[in-house]
Coordinates of all heavy atoms in Angstrom, one line a residue:
R232 N 31.3 -22.4 -24.9 CA 32.2 -23.1 -25.9 C 31.3 -23.9 -26.8 O 31.4 -23.9 -28.0 CB 33.2 -23.9 -25.2 CG 34.1 -24.7 -26.2 CD 35.0 -23.8 -27.0 NE 35.9 -24.6 -27.8 CZ 36.6 -24.2 -28.8 NH1 36.6 -22.9 -29.1 NH2 37.3 -25.0 -29.6
T233 N 30.4 -24.7 -26.2 CA 29.5 -25.5 -27.0 C 28.6 -24.7 -27.9 O 28.4 -25.0 -29.1 CB 28.6 -26.4 -26.1 OG1 29.5 -27.2 -25.3 CG2 27.6 -27.3 -26.8
D234 N 28.0 -23.6 -27.4 CA 27.2 -22.7 -28.2 C 28.0 -22.2 -29.4 O 27.5 -22.1 -30.5 CB 26.7 -21.5 -27.4 CG 25.7 -21.9 -26.3 OD1 25.2 -23.1 -26.4 OD2 25.3 -21.1 -25.5
S235 N 29.3 -21.8 -29.1 CA 30.1 -21.2 -30.2 C 30.4 -22.3 -31.2 O 30.4 -22.1 -32.4 CB 31.4 -20.7 -29.5 OG 32.4 -20.5 -30.5
L236 N 30.7 -23.5 -30.8 CA 31.0 -24.6 -31.7 C 29.8 -25.0 -32.5 O 29.9 -25.2 -33.7 CB 31.4 -25.9 -30.9 CG 32.8 -25.8 -30.2 CD1 33.0 -27.1 -29.4 CD2 33.9 -25.6 -31.2
M237 N 28.6 -24.9 -31.9 CA 27.4 -25.3 -32.6 C 27.1 -24.3 -33.8 O 26.5 -24.6 -34.8 CB 26.2 -25.3 -31.7 CG 26.2 -26.6 -30.8 SD 26.2 -28.1 -31.6 CE 24.4 -28.2 -32.1
Q238 N 27.6 -23.0 -33.6 CA 27.4 -22.0 -34.7 C 28.1 -22.5 -36.0 O 27.7 -22.1 -37.1 CB 27.9 -20.7 -34.2 CG 27.3 -20.1 -33.0 CD 25.8 -19.9 -33.2 OE1 25.3 -19.4 -34.2 NE2 25.0 -20.4 -32.2
G239 N 29.1 -23.4 -35.8 CA 29.8 -23.9 -37.0 C 29.0 -24.8 -37.8 O 29.4 -25.1 -39.0
L240 N 28.0 -25.4 -37.3 CA 27.2 -26.4 -38.0 C 26.1 -25.7 -38.7 O 25.1 -25.2 -38.1 CB 26.6 -27.5 -37.1 CG 25.7 -28.5 -37.8 CD1 26.5 -29.3 -38.9 CD2 25.2 -29.5 -36.8
V241 N 26.2 -25.5 -40.0 CA 25.2 -24.8 -40.8 C 24.3 -25.8 -41.5 O 24.8 -26.7 -42.2 CB 25.9 -23.8 -41.9 CG1 24.8 -23.1 -42.7 CG2 26.8 -22.8 -41.1
V242 N 23.0 -25.6 -41.4 CA 22.0 -26.5 -42.0 C 21.1 -25.6 -42.9 O 20.6 -24.6 -42.4 CB 21.1 -27.2 -40.9 CG1 20.1 -28.0 -41.6 CG2 22.0 -28.0 -40.0
D243 N 20.9 -26.0 -44.1 CA 20.1 -25.3 -45.0 C 19.3 -26.2 -45.9 O 19.7 -27.4 -46.0 CB 21.0 -24.4 -45.9 CG 20.2 -23.3 -46.6 OD1 19.1 -23.0 -46.2 OD2 20.7 -22.7 -47.6
G244 N 18.2 -25.8 -46.4 CA 17.4 -26.7 -47.3 C 16.6 -25.9 -48.3 O 16.3 -24.7 -48.1
R245 N 16.3 -26.5 -49.4 CA 15.4 -25.9 -50.4 C 14.6 -26.9 -51.0 O 14.9 -28.1 -51.1 CB 16.3 -25.1 -51.4 CG 17.1 -26.0 -52.3 CD 18.0 -25.3 -53.3 NE 18.7 -26.2 -54.2 CZ 18.3 -26.5 -55.4 NH1 17.1 -26.0 -55.8 NH2 18.9 -27.3 -56.1
L246 N 13.4 -26.5 -51.4 CA 12.4 -27.4 -52.1 C 12.9 -27.6 -53.5 O 13.2 -26.6 -54.2 CB 11.0 -26.7 -52.0 CG 9.9 -27.5 -52.6 CD1 9.7 -28.8 -51.8 CD2 8.6 -26.7 -52.5
L247 N 12.9 -28.8 -53.9 CA 13.3 -29.1 -55.3 C 12.0 -29.1 -56.2 O 10.9 -29.6 -55.7 CB 13.9 -30.5 -55.4 CG 15.3 -30.6 -54.8 CD1 15.8 -32.1 -55.0 CD2 16.3 -29.7 -55.5
E248 N 12.1 -28.6 -57.4 CA 10.9 -28.6 -58.3 C 10.7 -30.0 -58.7 O 11.6 -30.7 -59.1 CB 11.2 -27.7 -59.5 CG 11.3 -26.2 -59.1 CD 10.1 -25.6 -58.4 OE1 9.0 -25.9 -58.8 OE2 10.3 -24.9 -57.4
E249 N 9.4 -30.4 -58.6 CA 9.1 -31.8 -59.0 C 8.3 -31.7 -60.3 O 7.7 -30.7 -60.6 CB 8.2 -32.4 -57.9 CG 8.9 -32.6 -56.6 CD 9.8 -33.9 -56.6 OE1 9.6 -34.7 -57.5 OE2 10.7 -33.9 -55.7
D250 N 8.2 -32.9 -61.0 CA 7.3 -32.9 -62.1 C 5.8 -33.0 -61.6 O 5.6 -33.4 -60.4 CB 7.6 -34.0 -63.1 CG 7.5 -35.4 -62.4 OD1 6.4 -35.9 -62.2 OD2 8.6 -36.0 -62.1
E251 N 4.9 -32.7 -62.4 CA 3.5 -32.6 -61.9 C 3.0 -33.9 -61.3 O 2.1 -33.9 -60.5 CB 2.6 -32.2 -63.1 CG 2.8 -30.8 -63.6 CD 2.6 -29.7 -62.5 OE1 1.5 -29.7 -61.9 OE2 3.5 -28.9 -62.3
L252 N 3.5 -35.1 -61.8 CA 2.9 -36.4 -61.4 C 3.5 -36.8 -60.0 O 2.9 -37.6 -59.4 CB 3.2 -37.4 -62.5 CG 2.6 -37.2 -63.8 CD1 3.2 -38.2 -64.9 CD2 1.1 -37.3 -63.8
A253 N 4.6 -36.3 -59.7 CA 5.2 -36.7 -58.4 C 4.4 -36.3 -57.2 O 3.8 -35.2 -57.2 CB 6.6 -36.1 -58.3
E254 N 4.2 -37.2 -56.3 CA 3.5 -36.8 -55.1 C 4.4 -36.4 -54.0 O 5.5 -36.9 -53.9 CB 2.6 -38.1 -54.6 CG 1.4 -38.3 -55.5 CD 0.4 -39.2 -54.9 OE1 0.5 -39.4 -53.6 OE2 -0.4 -39.8 -55.6
G255 N 4.0 -35.5 -53.1 CA 4.8 -35.1 -52.0 C 5.8 -34.0 -52.4 O 5.7 -33.4 -53.4
M256 N 6.7 -33.8 -51.5 CA 7.7 -32.8 -51.6 C 9.1 -33.4 -51.4 O 9.3 -34.2 -50.4 CB 7.5 -31.7 -50.6 CG 6.1 -31.1 -50.7 SD 5.7 -29.9 -49.4 CE 6.4 -28.4 -50.0
T257 N 10.1 -32.9 -52.2 CA 11.5 -33.3 -52.0 C 12.3 -32.1 -51.6 O 12.2 -31.1 -52.2 CB 12.0 -34.0 -53.2 OG1 11.2 -35.1 -53.6 CG2 13.5 -34.5 -53.0
V258 N 13.0 -32.3 -50.5 CA 13.8 -31.2 -50.0 C 15.3 -31.6 -50.1 O 15.7 -32.7 -49.8 CB 13.5 -30.9 -48.5 CG1 14.4 -29.8 -47.9 CG2 12.0 -30.6 -48.3
E259 N 16.1 -30.6 -50.6 CA 17.5 -30.9 -50.7 C 18.1 -30.2 -49.5 O 18.0 -29.0 -49.3 CB 18.1 -30.2 -52.0 CG 19.5 -30.5 -52.2 CD 20.1 -29.9 -53.5 OE1 20.3 -28.7 -53.5 OE2 20.2 -30.6 -54.4
V260 N 18.7 -31.0 -48.7 CA 19.3 -30.5 -47.4 C 20.8 -30.4 -47.6 O 21.5 -31.3 -48.1 CB 19.0 -31.4 -46.2 CG1 19.6 -30.9 -44.9 CG2 17.5 -31.6 -46.1
T261 N 21.4 -29.3 -47.1 CA 22.8 -29.1 -47.1 C 23.4 -28.9 -45.7 O 22.8 -28.1 -44.9 CB 23.2 -27.8 -47.9 OG1 22.6 -27.9 -49.2 CG2 24.7 -27.6 -48.1
L262 N 24.4 -29.7 -45.4 CA 25.0 -29.6 -44.1 C 26.5 -29.2 -44.3 O 27.1 -29.7 -45.2 CB 25.1 -30.9 -43.3 CG 23.8 -31.6 -42.9 CD1 24.2 -33.0 -42.3 CD2 23.1 -30.8 -41.9
V263 N 26.9 -28.2 -43.5 CA 28.3 -27.8 -43.6 C 28.9 -27.5 -42.2 O 28.2 -26.9 -41.4 CB 28.5 -26.4 -44.5 CG1 29.9 -26.1 -44.6 CG2 27.8 -26.6 -45.8
N264 N 30.1 -28.0 -42.0 CA 30.8 -27.6 -40.8 C 31.8 -26.5 -41.2 O 32.7 -26.7 -41.9 CB 31.6 -28.8 -40.3 CG 32.5 -28.5 -39.1 OD1 32.5 -27.4 -38.6 ND2 33.2 -29.5 -38.6
N265 N 31.5 -25.3 -40.7 CA 32.3 -24.1 -41.0 C 33.6 -24.0 -40.1 O 34.3 -23.0 -40.3 CB 31.5 -22.9 -40.9 CG 30.7 -22.7 -42.2 OD1 31.1 -23.1 -43.3 ND2 29.6 -22.0 -42.1
R266 N 33.8 -24.9 -39.2 CA 34.9 -24.7 -38.3 C 35.9 -25.9 -38.3 O 35.4 -27.1 -38.5 CB 34.4 -24.6 -36.8 CG 33.6 -23.4 -36.6 CD 33.1 -23.3 -35.2 NE 34.3 -23.1 -34.3 CZ 34.3 -22.3 -33.2 NH1 33.2 -21.6 -32.9 NH2 35.3 -22.3 -32.4
S267 N 37.2 -25.7 -38.2 CA 38.1 -26.8 -38.2 C 38.4 -27.3 -36.8 O 39.1 -28.3 -36.7 CB 39.4 -26.3 -38.9 OG 39.9 -25.2 -38.2
D268 N 37.9 -26.7 -35.8 CA 38.2 -27.1 -34.4 C 37.1 -28.0 -33.8 O 37.1 -28.2 -32.6 CB 38.6 -25.9 -33.5 CG 37.4 -24.9 -33.4 OD1 36.4 -25.1 -34.2 OD2 37.5 -24.0 -32.6
V269 N 36.2 -28.5 -34.7 CA 35.1 -29.3 -34.2 C 34.7 -30.3 -35.2 O 34.8 -30.1 -36.4 CB 33.9 -28.4 -33.7 CG1 33.3 -27.7 -34.9 CG2 32.9 -29.2 -33.0
K270 N 34.2 -31.5 -34.7 CA 33.5 -32.4 -35.5 C 32.2 -32.7 -34.9 O 32.0 -32.5 -33.7 CB 34.3 -33.8 -35.5 CG 35.6 -33.7 -36.3 CD 35.7 -35.0 -37.1 CE 37.0 -35.0 -37.9 NZ 37.0 -34.2 -39.1
F271 N 31.2 -33.0 -35.7 CA 29.8 -33.2 -35.1 C 29.4 -34.6 -35.2 O 29.5 -35.3 -36.3 CB 28.8 -32.3 -35.9 CG 29.1 -30.8 -35.6 CD1 29.8 -30.1 -36.5 CD2 28.6 -30.2 -34.5 CE1 30.1 -28.7 -36.3 CE2 28.9 -28.9 -34.3 CZ 29.6 -28.1 -35.2
K272 N 28.8 -35.1 -34.1 CA 28.3 -36.5 -34.1 C 26.8 -36.4 -33.9 O 26.3 -35.4 -33.3 CB 28.9 -37.3 -32.9 CG 30.4 -37.5 -33.1 CD 30.9 -38.6 -32.1 CE 32.3 -39.0 -32.4 NZ 32.5 -39.6 -33.7
D273 N 26.1 -37.5 -34.3 CA 24.6 -37.6 -34.0 C 23.9 -36.3 -34.5 O 23.0 -35.8 -33.8 CB 24.3 -37.8 -32.5 CG 25.1 -39.0 -32.0 OD1 25.2 -40.0 -32.6 OD2 25.6 -38.8 -30.8
V274 N 24.1 -35.9 -35.7 CA 23.4 -34.8 -36.3 C 22.0 -35.1 -36.6 O 21.7 -36.1 -37.3 CB 24.1 -34.2 -37.5 CG1 23.4 -33.0 -38.1 CG2 25.6 -33.8 -37.2
V275 N 21.0 -34.3 -36.2 CA 19.6 -34.5 -36.5 C 19.1 -33.2 -37.1 O 19.3 -32.2 -36.5 CB 18.8 -34.9 -35.2 CG1 17.3 -35.0 -35.6 CG2 19.3 -36.2 -34.6
V276 N 18.5 -33.4 -38.3 CA 17.9 -32.2 -39.0 C 16.4 -32.3 -38.9 O 15.8 -33.3 -39.0 CB 18.4 -32.3 -40.5 CG1 17.7 -31.2 -41.3 CG2 19.9 -32.2 -40.6
A277 N 15.8 -31.1 -38.6 CA 14.3 -31.0 -38.6 C 13.8 -30.3 -39.8 O 14.4 -29.3 -40.2 CB 13.9 -30.3 -37.3
I278 N 12.8 -30.9 -40.5 CA 12.2 -30.2 -41.6 C 10.7 -30.0 -41.1 O 10.0 -30.9 -40.8 CB 12.2 -31.1 -42.9 CG1 13.6 -31.4 -43.2 CG2 11.5 -30.3 -44.0 CD1 13.8 -32.5 -44.3
K279 N 10.4 -28.7 -41.1 CA 9.0 -28.4 -40.6 C 8.2 -27.9 -41.8 O 8.7 -27.1 -42.6 CB 9.1 -27.2 -39.6 CG 9.7 -27.6 -38.3 CD 9.7 -26.5 -37.3 CE 10.2 -26.9 -35.9 NZ 9.9 -25.9 -34.9

């Protein structure tokens, strides 16, 4: 049941284009709960 519920939490991300002077990288992260029978607590996202 937990595995099935966890499938409902969709995490996605994309690199945002930066201007040449900006240092580092900015990632736009999107979180979506695709299920109505679950709520998520303590969400941790990993960016590798």
Side-chain angles (χ1 to χ4, degrees):
R232 177 68 178 166
T233 299
D234 291 348
S235 166
L236 292 174
M237 288 300 282
Q238 298 304 312
L240 179 58
V241 178
V242 177
D243 196 18
R245 66 186 184 93
L246 184 61
L247 291 178
E248 294 302 318
E249 295 279 343
D250 60 74
E251 294 299 308
L252 299 171
E254 284 195 22
M256 303 172 86
T257 302
V258 179
E259 184 180 78
V260 179
T261 306
L262 295 178
V263 183
N264 175 2
N265 278 334
R266 297 180 64 142
S267 57
D268 60 350
V269 65
K270 289 220 181 285
F271 293 98
K272 294 193 171 301
D273 308 318
V274 177
V275 178
V276 174
I278 303 171
K279 293 183 176 192

